[in-house]
Amino acid sequence: MSAGIESIVVLTGAGISAESGIDTFRDAGGLWEQHSIYDVATPEGFARDPDLVLRFYDERRAGLARVEPNAAHIALARLEAEFAGELLLVTQNVDDLHERGGSRNVCHMHGELKSALCTSCGTRSRWETTMIDRPACPVCRAPTLRPDVVWFGEMPYQMQRIEEALARCDLFVSVGTSGAVYPAAGFVAQAKAMGAQTLELNLEPSEGTAIFHEARHGPASQLVPEWTRALLNVS
Ligand code: BJW
């Protein structure tokens, strides 16, 4: 699957960070077994009980200090550095493991744990600490920060950039995502309709597995380095 490939879109999901120790959402014991989606991942849940939501994200942000990128993140960073064509790495993940694995150009379509969104002035600011204590927005000083993540019913970030890349890519690769959440779950069909080859790398068949031209099942830390080494033709 490497001959004539000039443009690649890689989509990653929670499964790529699972072996680093970050819980996925829908696997057994995942985040949605521990918390209700409606309570912690919707604007309505935030309006109802902001303390619950701020604490949930404060804990996950603090947890980033206890995890490290794994071989899959590192392999994608190497691909970015060595692939001669165009690569867009789109992640649904709000962690920073792609960046810490060495990727420079990461499109966080569902936002980032280390970013704050001010609901008063709309500014997005780098944020490393807590929000439960209602810190002031660095720009307008209002105590109205929320996690800069995309909840159900909200528009994901950078959709135009992603859709343009999907339309011109020769290869679309999905890594570690259940294919349960749109619009990301629809990317494979979009890319395929425009003529791209499509490859799934996931622990188990995703909800959309039948749409892919090829699906390989196993841990991302094994499948991703195998795929990138073959594409780059290196050992
Ligand atoms: C491994 C592994 C290992 C484990 N190795 N693999 C069309 C139809 C129906 C509904 C909709 C629709 N379009 C939109 C909707 C509504 C909604 C939606 O999708 N609902 C569904 C539930 C049906 N979507 C939205 O509301 C989105 N917004 C929107 O659509 O705006 C309008 C719009 C209009 C037009 C164009 C564009 C947009 C927003 C969705 C926001 C999702 N937010 C969350 C929370 C983010 C913040 C946070 O982290 O808390 O994003 S929900 C959660 O799910 C999170 C994830 O990014 C996302 C996807 O989860 P992911 O990554 O796939 O994780 P899992 O756990 O589901 O799967 C892990 C996989 O890894 C599994 O398959 C494992 O097997 C595998 N795995 N270990 C490899 N070691």
Side-chain angles (χ1 to χ4, degrees):
M1 194 176 262
S2 62
I5 300 292
E6 290 176 3
S7 176
I8 304 174
V9 175
V10 177
L11 171 72
T12 65
I16 196 168
S17 298
E19 291 164 83
S20 294
I22 298 184
D23 285 342
T24 63
F25 295 92
R26 295 170 186 80
D27 292 314
L31 284 171
W32 295 159
E33 273 188 8
Q34 303 165 43
H35 305 270
S36 151
I37 291 183
Y38 304 101
D39 288 344
V40 297
T42 63
E44 296 77 18
F46 183 56
R48 213 168 32 242
D49 191 347
D51 279 13
L52 175 82
V53 176
L54 294 175
R55 237 181 247 113
F56 174 68
Y57 285 97
D58 281 355
E59 281 167 18
R60 289 174 59 199
R61 191 178 309 105
L64 294 180
R66 299 189 287 272
V67 297
E68 295 293 334
N70 65 54
H73 299 102
I74 292 165
L76 290 177
R78 182 177 183 186
L79 184 67
E80 180 187 89
E82 298 183 14
F83 179 58
E86 178 191 17
L87 173 75
L88 181 64
L89 175 55
V90 181
T91 188
Q92 298 170 85
N93 299 342
V94 295
D95 66 52
D96 58 355
L97 293 182
H98 281 304
E99 286 84 354
R100 285 163 56 200
S103 289
R104 295 281 159 264
N105 187 14
V106 186
C107 173
H108 280 272
M109 66 176 289
H110 289 166
E112 295 181 69
L113 283 171
K114 289 192 176 173
S115 180
L117 173 64
C118 178
T119 59
S120 298
C121 71
T123 302
R124 304 174 72 190
S125 309
R126 291 304 299 165
W127 203 262
E128 304 270 344
T129 58
T130 55
M131 293 186 197
I132 188 72
D133 42 339
R134 304 301 196 280
C137 166
V139 174
C140 75
R141 309 310 302 168
T144 51
L145 298 180
R146 57 160 271 188
D148 186 13
V149 300
V150 178
W151 289 321
F152 286 103
E154 297 183 325
M155 182 64 83
Y157 287 117
Q158 302 191 51
M159 283 306 299
Q160 188 177 343
R161 177 184 180 202
I162 295 168
E163 284 178 359
E164 286 170 3
L166 289 170
R168 64 173 179 268
C169 72
D170 313 302
L171 177 60
F172 172 80
V173 183
S174 171
V175 181
T177 175
S178 60
V181 175
Y182 287 83
F187 291 171
V188 56
Q190 278 175 260
K192 192 176 176 185
M194 298 299 284
Q197 287 294 303
T198 55
L199 171 65
E200 166 168 286
L201 304 176
N202 205 50
L203 193 59
E204 60 195 8
S206 72
E207 290 191 16
T209 196
I211 304 171
F212 289 85
H213 292 99
E214 187 186 347
R216 301 177 194 166
H217 297 131
S221 65
Q222 180 190 323
L223 294 185
V224 177
E226 278 172 10
W227 167 65
T228 55
R229 277 197 300 267
L231 189 89
L232 293 169
N233 208 8
V234 293
S235 53

PDB file of all heavy atoms in Angstrom, residues 184-205:
ATOM      1  N   ALA A 184     -15.861  12.393  12.730  1.00  0.00           N
ATOM      2  CA  ALA A 184     -14.648  11.604  12.467  1.00  0.00           C
ATOM      3  C   ALA A 184     -14.974  10.229  11.887  1.00  0.00           C
ATOM      4  O   ALA A 184     -14.274   9.735  10.996  1.00  0.00           O
ATOM      5  CB  ALA A 184     -13.830  11.459  13.754  1.00  0.00           C
ATOM      6  N   ALA A 185     -16.061   9.612  12.361  1.00  0.00           N
ATOM      7  CA  ALA A 185     -16.416   8.270  11.891  1.00  0.00           C
ATOM      8  C   ALA A 185     -16.751   8.255  10.403  1.00  0.00           C
ATOM      9  O   ALA A 185     -16.698   7.199   9.765  1.00  0.00           O
ATOM     10  CB  ALA A 185     -17.599   7.744  12.704  1.00  0.00           C
ATOM     11  N   GLY A 186     -17.073   9.418   9.857  1.00  0.00           N
ATOM     12  CA  GLY A 186     -17.417   9.497   8.437  1.00  0.00           C
ATOM     13  C   GLY A 186     -16.225   9.776   7.529  1.00  0.00           C
ATOM     14  O   GLY A 186     -16.355   9.735   6.295  1.00  0.00           O
ATOM     15  N   PHE A 187     -15.041  10.024   8.111  1.00  0.00           N
ATOM     16  CA  PHE A 187     -13.888  10.399   7.281  1.00  0.00           C
ATOM     17  C   PHE A 187     -13.511   9.297   6.301  1.00  0.00           C
ATOM     18  O   PHE A 187     -13.114   9.564   5.172  1.00  0.00           O
ATOM     19  CB  PHE A 187     -12.679  10.749   8.149  1.00  0.00           C
ATOM     20  CG  PHE A 187     -12.802  12.025   8.940  1.00  0.00           C
ATOM     21  CD1 PHE A 187     -11.848  12.351   9.908  1.00  0.00           C
ATOM     22  CD2 PHE A 187     -13.851  12.918   8.744  1.00  0.00           C
ATOM     23  CE1 PHE A 187     -11.940  13.519  10.641  1.00  0.00           C
ATOM     24  CE2 PHE A 187     -13.960  14.097   9.480  1.00  0.00           C
ATOM     25  CZ  PHE A 187     -12.996  14.388  10.436  1.00  0.00           C
ATOM     26  N   VAL A 188     -13.595   8.039   6.736  1.00  0.00           N
ATOM     27  CA  VAL A 188     -13.187   6.942   5.852  1.00  0.00           C
ATOM     28  C   VAL A 188     -14.047   6.924   4.593  1.00  0.00           C
ATOM     29  O   VAL A 188     -13.523   6.766   3.477  1.00  0.00           O
ATOM     30  CB  VAL A 188     -13.199   5.580   6.591  1.00  0.00           C
ATOM     31  CG1 VAL A 188     -14.536   5.238   7.211  1.00  0.00           C
ATOM     32  CG2 VAL A 188     -12.789   4.462   5.633  1.00  0.00           C
ATOM     33  N   ALA A 189     -15.336   7.105   4.758  1.00  0.00           N
ATOM     34  CA  ALA A 189     -16.218   7.082   3.578  1.00  0.00           C
ATOM     35  C   ALA A 189     -15.952   8.283   2.679  1.00  0.00           C
ATOM     36  O   ALA A 189     -15.960   8.167   1.448  1.00  0.00           O
ATOM     37  CB  ALA A 189     -17.680   7.059   4.032  1.00  0.00           C
ATOM     38  N   GLN A 190     -15.663   9.443   3.305  1.00  0.00           N
ATOM     39  CA  GLN A 190     -15.373  10.646   2.518  1.00  0.00           C
ATOM     40  C   GLN A 190     -14.106  10.447   1.684  1.00  0.00           C
ATOM     41  O   GLN A 190     -14.082  10.752   0.499  1.00  0.00           O
ATOM     42  CB  GLN A 190     -15.150  11.857   3.444  1.00  0.00           C
ATOM     43  CG  GLN A 190     -16.407  12.524   3.914  1.00  0.00           C
ATOM     44  CD  GLN A 190     -16.086  13.625   4.922  1.00  0.00           C
ATOM     45  OE1 GLN A 190     -16.206  13.424   6.127  1.00  0.00           O
ATOM     46  NE2 GLN A 190     -15.671  14.779   4.445  1.00  0.00           N
ATOM     47  N   ALA A 191     -13.050   9.949   2.330  1.00  0.00           N
ATOM     48  CA  ALA A 191     -11.777   9.763   1.620  1.00  0.00           C
ATOM     49  C   ALA A 191     -11.928   8.704   0.526  1.00  0.00           C
ATOM     50  O   ALA A 191     -11.436   8.873  -0.594  1.00  0.00           O
ATOM     51  CB  ALA A 191     -10.689   9.358   2.612  1.00  0.00           C
ATOM     52  N   LYS A 192     -12.623   7.631   0.859  1.00  0.00           N
ATOM     53  CA  LYS A 192     -12.797   6.540  -0.108  1.00  0.00           C
ATOM     54  C   LYS A 192     -13.591   7.027  -1.333  1.00  0.00           C
ATOM     55  O   LYS A 192     -13.242   6.707  -2.478  1.00  0.00           O
ATOM     56  CB  LYS A 192     -13.537   5.388   0.577  1.00  0.00           C
ATOM     57  CG  LYS A 192     -13.535   4.094  -0.195  1.00  0.00           C
ATOM     58  CD  LYS A 192     -14.229   3.009   0.639  1.00  0.00           C
ATOM     59  CE  LYS A 192     -14.349   1.715  -0.129  1.00  0.00           C
ATOM     60  NZ  LYS A 192     -15.121   0.709   0.639  1.00  0.00           N
ATOM     61  N   ALA A 193     -14.605   7.830  -1.078  1.00  0.00           N
ATOM     62  CA  ALA A 193     -15.427   8.337  -2.194  1.00  0.00           C
ATOM     63  C   ALA A 193     -14.610   9.205  -3.139  1.00  0.00           C
ATOM     64  O   ALA A 193     -14.932   9.322  -4.322  1.00  0.00           O
ATOM     65  CB  ALA A 193     -16.607   9.132  -1.641  1.00  0.00           C
ATOM     66  N   MET A 194     -13.529   9.811  -2.611  1.00  0.00           N
ATOM     67  CA  MET A 194     -12.677  10.669  -3.454  1.00  0.00           C
ATOM     68  C   MET A 194     -11.504   9.882  -4.034  1.00  0.00           C
ATOM     69  O   MET A 194     -10.575  10.464  -4.592  1.00  0.00           O
ATOM     70  CB  MET A 194     -12.162  11.857  -2.633  1.00  0.00           C
ATOM     71  CG  MET A 194     -13.260  12.763  -2.116  1.00  0.00           C
ATOM     72  SD  MET A 194     -14.248  13.523  -3.420  1.00  0.00           S
ATOM     73  CE  MET A 194     -13.117  14.782  -3.985  1.00  0.00           C
ATOM     74  N   GLY A 195     -11.490   8.560  -3.842  1.00  0.00           N
ATOM     75  CA  GLY A 195     -10.498   7.725  -4.510  1.00  0.00           C
ATOM     76  C   GLY A 195      -9.340   7.265  -3.648  1.00  0.00           C
ATOM     77  O   GLY A 195      -8.424   6.601  -4.152  1.00  0.00           O
ATOM     78  N   ALA A 196      -9.326   7.611  -2.355  1.00  0.00           N
ATOM     79  CA  ALA A 196      -8.201   7.206  -1.496  1.00  0.00           C
ATOM     80  C   ALA A 196      -8.285   5.724  -1.137  1.00  0.00           C
ATOM     81  O   ALA A 196      -9.379   5.160  -1.030  1.00  0.00           O
ATOM     82  CB  ALA A 196      -8.206   8.036  -0.213  1.00  0.00           C
ATOM     83  N   GLN A 197      -7.108   5.118  -0.916  1.00  0.00           N
ATOM     84  CA  GLN A 197      -7.046   3.810  -0.271  1.00  0.00           C
ATOM     85  C   GLN A 197      -7.300   4.030   1.216  1.00  0.00           C
ATOM     86  O   GLN A 197      -6.980   5.111   1.750  1.00  0.00           O
ATOM     87  CB  GLN A 197      -5.652   3.190  -0.457  1.00  0.00           C
ATOM     88  CG  GLN A 197      -5.384   2.708  -1.868  1.00  0.00           C
ATOM     89  CD  GLN A 197      -6.297   1.536  -2.235  1.00  0.00           C
ATOM     90  OE1 GLN A 197      -6.310   0.526  -1.560  1.00  0.00           O
ATOM     91  NE2 GLN A 197      -7.079   1.707  -3.314  1.00  0.00           N
ATOM     92  N   THR A 198      -7.855   3.040   1.892  1.00  0.00           N
ATOM     93  CA  THR A 198      -8.195   3.237   3.299  1.00  0.00           C
ATOM     94  C   THR A 198      -7.733   2.032   4.120  1.00  0.00           C
ATOM     95  O   THR A 198      -7.894   0.883   3.697  1.00  0.00           O
ATOM     96  CB  THR A 198      -9.718   3.441   3.466  1.00  0.00           C
ATOM     97  OG1 THR A 198     -10.403   2.338   2.880  1.00  0.00           O
ATOM     98  CG2 THR A 198     -10.183   4.731   2.799  1.00  0.00           C
ATOM     99  N   LEU A 199      -7.147   2.333   5.274  1.00  0.00           N
ATOM    100  CA  LEU A 199      -6.555   1.290   6.117  1.00  0.00           C
ATOM    101  C   LEU A 199      -6.961   1.525   7.569  1.00  0.00           C
ATOM    102  O   LEU A 199      -6.809   2.630   8.083  1.00  0.00           O
ATOM    103  CB  LEU A 199      -5.026   1.358   5.986  1.00  0.00           C
ATOM    104  CG  LEU A 199      -4.191   0.499   6.937  1.00  0.00           C
ATOM    105  CD1 LEU A 199      -4.419  -0.999   6.690  1.00  0.00           C
ATOM    106  CD2 LEU A 199      -2.701   0.838   6.779  1.00  0.00           C
ATOM    107  N   GLU A 200      -7.457   0.473   8.199  1.00  0.00           N
ATOM    108  CA  GLU A 200      -7.765   0.553   9.641  1.00  0.00           C
ATOM    109  C   GLU A 200      -6.703  -0.203  10.435  1.00  0.00           C
ATOM    110  O   GLU A 200      -6.383  -1.353  10.121  1.00  0.00           O
ATOM    111  CB  GLU A 200      -9.136  -0.076   9.913  1.00  0.00           C
ATOM    112  CG  GLU A 200      -9.384  -0.335  11.401  1.00  0.00           C
ATOM    113  CD  GLU A 200     -10.830  -0.672  11.702  1.00  0.00           C
ATOM    114  OE1 GLU A 200     -11.653   0.257  11.665  1.00  0.00           O
ATOM    115  OE2 GLU A 200     -11.145  -1.863  11.918  1.00  0.00           O
ATOM    116  N   LEU A 201      -6.179   0.449  11.485  1.00  0.00           N
ATOM    117  CA  LEU A 201      -5.269  -0.197  12.429  1.00  0.00           C
ATOM    118  C   LEU A 201      -5.922  -0.061  13.798  1.00  0.00           C
ATOM    119  O   LEU A 201      -5.960   1.025  14.376  1.00  0.00           O
ATOM    120  CB  LEU A 201      -3.898   0.500  12.430  1.00  0.00           C
ATOM    121  CG  LEU A 201      -3.175   0.614  11.073  1.00  0.00           C
ATOM    122  CD1 LEU A 201      -1.884   1.422  11.226  1.00  0.00           C
ATOM    123  CD2 LEU A 201      -2.865  -0.771  10.499  1.00  0.00           C
ATOM    124  N   ASN A 202      -6.486  -1.147  14.305  1.00  0.00           N
ATOM    125  CA  ASN A 202      -7.244  -1.071  15.564  1.00  0.00           C
ATOM    126  C   ASN A 202      -7.137  -2.411  16.288  1.00  0.00           C
ATOM    127  O   ASN A 202      -6.905  -3.450  15.674  1.00  0.00           O
ATOM    128  CB  ASN A 202      -8.717  -0.752  15.270  1.00  0.00           C
ATOM    129  CG  ASN A 202      -9.419  -0.078  16.432  1.00  0.00           C
ATOM    130  OD1 ASN A 202      -8.912   0.902  16.980  1.00  0.00           O
ATOM    131  ND2 ASN A 202     -10.566  -0.588  16.836  1.00  0.00           N
ATOM    132  N   LEU A 203      -7.346  -2.347  17.594  1.00  0.00           N
ATOM    133  CA  LEU A 203      -7.256  -3.574  18.385  1.00  0.00           C
ATOM    134  C   LEU A 203      -8.266  -4.617  17.920  1.00  0.00           C
ATOM    135  O   LEU A 203      -7.986  -5.814  17.903  1.00  0.00           O
ATOM    136  CB  LEU A 203      -7.493  -3.231  19.867  1.00  0.00           C
ATOM    137  CG  LEU A 203      -7.138  -4.295  20.891  1.00  0.00           C
ATOM    138  CD1 LEU A 203      -5.659  -4.671  20.808  1.00  0.00           C
ATOM    139  CD2 LEU A 203      -7.474  -3.811  22.296  1.00  0.00           C
ATOM    140  N   GLU A 204      -9.426  -4.136  17.516  1.00  0.00           N
ATOM    141  CA  GLU A 204     -10.512  -5.032  17.087  1.00  0.00           C
ATOM    142  C   GLU A 204     -11.266  -4.316  15.966  1.00  0.00           C
ATOM    143  O   GLU A 204     -11.075  -3.118  15.774  1.00  0.00           O
ATOM    144  CB  GLU A 204     -11.446  -5.310  18.273  1.00  0.00           C
ATOM    145  CG  GLU A 204     -12.050  -4.026  18.808  1.00  0.00           C
ATOM    146  CD  GLU A 204     -12.698  -4.161  20.178  1.00  0.00           C
ATOM    147  OE1 GLU A 204     -12.568  -5.212  20.802  1.00  0.00           O
ATOM    148  OE2 GLU A 204     -13.344  -3.183  20.579  1.00  0.00           O
ATOM    149  N   PRO A 205     -12.128  -5.010  15.232  1.00  0.00           N
ATOM    150  CA  PRO A 205     -12.869  -4.327  14.179  1.00  0.00           C
ATOM    151  C   PRO A 205     -13.681  -3.166  14.743  1.00  0.00           C
ATOM    152  O   PRO A 205     -14.388  -3.321  15.740  1.00  0.00           O
ATOM    153  CB  PRO A 205     -13.786  -5.430  13.622  1.00  0.00           C
ATOM    154  CG  PRO A 205     -13.097  -6.706  13.980  1.00  0.00           C
ATOM    155  CD  PRO A 205     -12.399  -6.459  15.282  1.00  0.00           C
TER     156      PRO A 205
END
